[in-house]
Amino acid sequence: MRTPLFLLIWLGIAALAYAIAVALGNDYIFFAGYVVLQYVVLATAWNILGGYCGYVNFGSAAFFALGAYSTVAFYKYITENEFYRLPMPVLMLIGGAISGFVGFGMGYLTLRLRGAFFAIATLALAVVLQTLVVNWDYVGGSRGAYIVRPEEIAPIGSYIRYLFLVMLVLAVAAITIARLIEHSRLGYGFATIRDDELAAEACGVPTLKLKLIATTISGALMGMAGAPFPYYIGYLQPASTFGLDYAVNSIAMPLIGGTTSWIGPLIGAVLLGSLQQIATVTISSAVNLLIVGCLLVGFVIVAPNGVVGLVHTYLQRKPEDFVGRRRVGTDSPEAVP
Amino acid sequence: MIFSFDLLINAIISGILIGGFYAAVTAGVSLSFGILDIVNIAHPAFIILGSYVAYIVNTTLGVDPILTAIVAMPLFYVLGAGIYQIYYVAFERRGQESLRGLAFFFGLLFITEVTLVLYFGVDYRYVDARYIGPSWHFGMMDVPFRILVPCLVSLLLITALQLILTKTFIGRAIMAVAQDQLALRLMAVDPIRIKRIAFGISIATASLAGAFLIIIQPVEPSVGREYIGRVFAICVLGGMGSLPGTVIAAMLLGIVESLTSTFYGPSWAPAVSFGFLLLTLAVRPAGLLGR
């Protein structure tokens, strides 16, 4: 399928989703849907680095929070100086640029080493950025920051619908980017890194450059997902914005859905995101995080290729018919003689 | 900036003592990550588990936390050996340890933390023991027993570990498994068994480290997260699996953190370990006493 057609189909699906949400007429749908869409973006962004290149990023929350706090900083600056109010897409681009830049810097420092170092460094990055934000009084420090959400916005109506729509467009964009990467030279390069980095390097694949591209794209998308968040939540606080739930969700969703193609994170995010929304309302938010943790551990042990892998096994088809590319070396028998 | 001399001295002393404690926290990771190449990021969660075991026994039976931890070590060993078995069967044997193995440990970290939150809530817990409270005074120096005791026991633990690793057959086999599994197999030793033992020992140290933690500071389930950056920074700086290196790196980090929190405020201290980690990775990835 050509990319423009793919994009058109998904825009159609997005329009349909929006129409259904409007038809239901309950604003709660938009609040819940926003969170699910946000996770679609986070999971897809994580998968570009984690699923395609095989480098694990535990710092999703850090990139997400960077986007959110860049919005807070600009909001403060604008309200204090009575400057022209920046529209949401511009704020998202700024948040994305900052996160992408930080992703690039992180990658540059750690990606030349073994993969585990990168994973640990991302974990530590979250702690350090949180320390910086806690000590930065301009954006509220540890007390948190309030953002006044406008009640209405001109053509759409209530502001939450606008946020939902913005996130919907971002989610479609993220999926399209992921698919575009998957079927390009870049994607094949990523796959060689994941399967055997040393061999790829020996064949002349510019591994460091490709990894840096992946971290930058992935970080930027996470930052863009975070940028509208202060407007959604109204009160932004470091402890919850840097919370482990973003990190665990953006890892769990692709791994549960399946990491080899764009559809895996989408399936994982929609399944797990909706499940969590239901569990938060009906049980409690702590229990729903426990469910995510258990599902993550269960899936990585029992179904290493996620829902997509399970479907393939069920249909008895070879993965390449559907996924487009086969993982090399995943199901090899004992690696050690 | 004007700073008084006794403040400086006290900051350095408490840094060294805290560093001793950090060495115990990191010893397990030096074994698992440094020697066995198992990126056990759930290690801090097991430390918190150790803290809660010490807390439960201390509040219900009034037993000394360090004694409890030593008695609980075999249990932690069994837990560790069990986890390694799952890890081996599910990931290492299939060659998937890099992505899914990491996610597995991350999930374990998460499950442990959330379970503790559900069961105990997010209140800070603490223990009682004779040495918590009093401290030694030499002139302007001030040595609180609640940090001194964990530091000394921790150095004992590290010494014992080092002796096990260098003097016993099992210990030498653990060092060998890091270098050449095939050669070990040719000597009629099962590398998987050796790794299981080593990982069990690594988790067993978490029991003791957890008791130290709850002696030094009140503990709540998410405290462990602060230790992830620290533990790996120390492990990498110390030279991945070298126990003497771990002690030196831990004390170095302890001193720098303590100076930072004395002169810039405690809210900046968590950033120190990350700075250390990045600097080490960028400048000398082999660490101080690298192999």
Side-chain angles (χ1 to χ4, degrees), chain B residues 22-37:
Chain B
Y22 286 169
V25 174
T26 314
V29 169
S30 287
L31 265 177
S32 59
F33 179 49
I35 295 181
L36 304 180
D37 248 355

Side-chain angles (χ1 to χ4, degrees), chain A residues 6 92 109 152 154 159 170 185 199 208 224 238 245 264 284 286 291 300 329 332 337:
Chain A
F6 179 84
M92 286 165 81
L109 281 177
E152 302 264 315
Y159 203 76
L170 182 63
R185 261 180 88 83
L208 180 63
M224 287 175 86
D245 26 340
S284 87
I291 295 173
V300 291
S332 60

Side-chain angles (χ1 to χ4, degrees), chain A residues 214-299:
Chain A
T215 10
T216 312
I217 295 176
S218 167
L221 278 175
M222 286 177 184
M224 287 175 86
F229 186 65
Y231 281 94
Y232 172 79
I233 199 87
Y235 167 64
L236 198 66
Q237 187 222 357
S240 62
T241 318
F242 283 93
L244 209 55
D245 26 340
Y246 292 110
V248 79
N249 268 315
S250 48
I251 295 170
M253 285 162 177
L255 284 173
I256 288 173
T259 51
T260 37
S261 75
W262 57 271
I263 200 162
L266 179 68
I267 292 173
V270 171
L271 269 182
L272 214 55
S274 322
L275 181 73
Q276 274 179 287
Q277 284 302 314
I278 295 165
T280 309
V281 176
T282 52
I283 315 171
S284 87
S285 58
V287 172
N288 93 52
L289 290 177
L290 189 63
I291 295 173
V292 176
C294 292
L295 275 177
L296 172 62
V297 170
F299 260 88

Side-chain angles (χ1 to χ4, degrees), chain A residues 56 58 113-114 117 120-121 123-125 128 131-132 135 248 255 259 286 289 300-301 304 330 334-337, chain B residues 37 39 41 91 93-94 96 99-100 102-103 106 110 114 118 181 185 225 228 232 236 267-268 270 274 281 285:
Chain A
V56 181
F58 289 116
L113 301 159
R114 276 171 31 227
F117 288 110
I120 295 159
L123 207 57
L125 174 76
V128 170
T131 313
L132 291 180
N135 285 291
V248 79
L255 284 173
T259 51
L289 290 177
V300 291
I301 293 175
T330 42
E334 280 198 47
V336 182
Chain B
D37 248 355
V39 193
I41 53 167
F91 309 105
R93 198 176 50 184
R94 296 192 212 151
Q96 292 183 332
L99 182 65
R100 293 187 171 77
L102 267 174
F106 191 63
F110 202 66
V114 176
L118 284 176
Q181 288 206 17
R185 203 164 268 213
R225 251 183 269 163
I228 299 174
F232 283 97
V236 173
S267 55
W268 283 104
F274 182 67
L281 290 181

Side-chain angles (χ1 to χ4, degrees), chain A residues 22-232:
Chain A
V22 170
L24 286 170
N26 185 345
D27 263 5
Y28 178 73
I29 302 286
F30 291 100
F31 278 99
Y34 176 87
V35 176
V36 175
L37 287 171
Q38 173 183 295
Y39 277 132
V40 171
V41 179
L42 280 178
T44 308
W46 186 89
N47 201 41
I48 289 176
L49 185 65
Y52 297 172
C53 293
Y55 274 76
V56 181
N57 177 2
F58 289 116
S60 313
F63 292 103
F64 177 81
L66 262 180
Y69 270 98
S70 79
T71 301
V72 172
F74 275 94
Y75 176 86
K76 285 265 178 186
Y77 184 76
I78 288 162
T79 42
E80 277 168 17
N81 297 298
E82 304 198 343
F83 189 63
Y84 171 69
R85 174 171 292 215
L86 290 173
M88 185 55 72
V90 176
L91 284 174
M92 286 165 81
L93 285 178
I94 295 172
I98 293 174
S99 288
F101 181 74
V102 170
F104 177 82
M106 272 279 316
Y108 188 75
L109 281 177
T110 53
L111 281 175
R112 279 167 297 177
L113 301 159
R114 276 171 31 227
F117 288 110
F118 175 77
I120 295 159
T122 54
L123 207 57
L125 174 76
V127 175
V128 170
L129 283 177
Q130 189 176 352
T131 313
L132 291 180
V133 167
V134 163
N135 285 291
W136 191 18
D137 277 334
Y138 189 68
V139 292
S142 53
R143 282 171 288 117
Y146 288 95
I147 295 275
V148 181
R149 181 168 60 211
E151 279 294 309
E152 302 264 315
I153 188 151
I156 296 150
S158 75
Y159 203 76
I160 184 66
R161 293 190 180 191
Y162 174 60
L163 287 179
F164 178 84
L165 207 57
V166 166
M167 201 42 92
L168 198 60
V169 172
L170 182 63
V172 171
I175 294 172
T176 314
I177 291 172
R179 184 174 177 277
L180 202 62
I181 290 175
E182 215 178 297
H183 294 279
S184 67
R185 261 180 88 83
L186 199 59
Y188 296 129
F190 288 171
T192 61
I193 293 174
R194 179 189 59 206
D195 292 337
D196 192 335
E197 190 162 342
L198 202 61
E201 184 80 51
C203 294
V205 177
T207 52
L208 180 63
K209 192 176 133 201
L210 289 182
K211 285 187 287 185
L212 284 176
I213 292 173
T215 10
T216 312
I217 295 176
S218 167
L221 278 175
M222 286 177 184
M224 287 175 86
F229 186 65
Y231 281 94
Y232 172 79

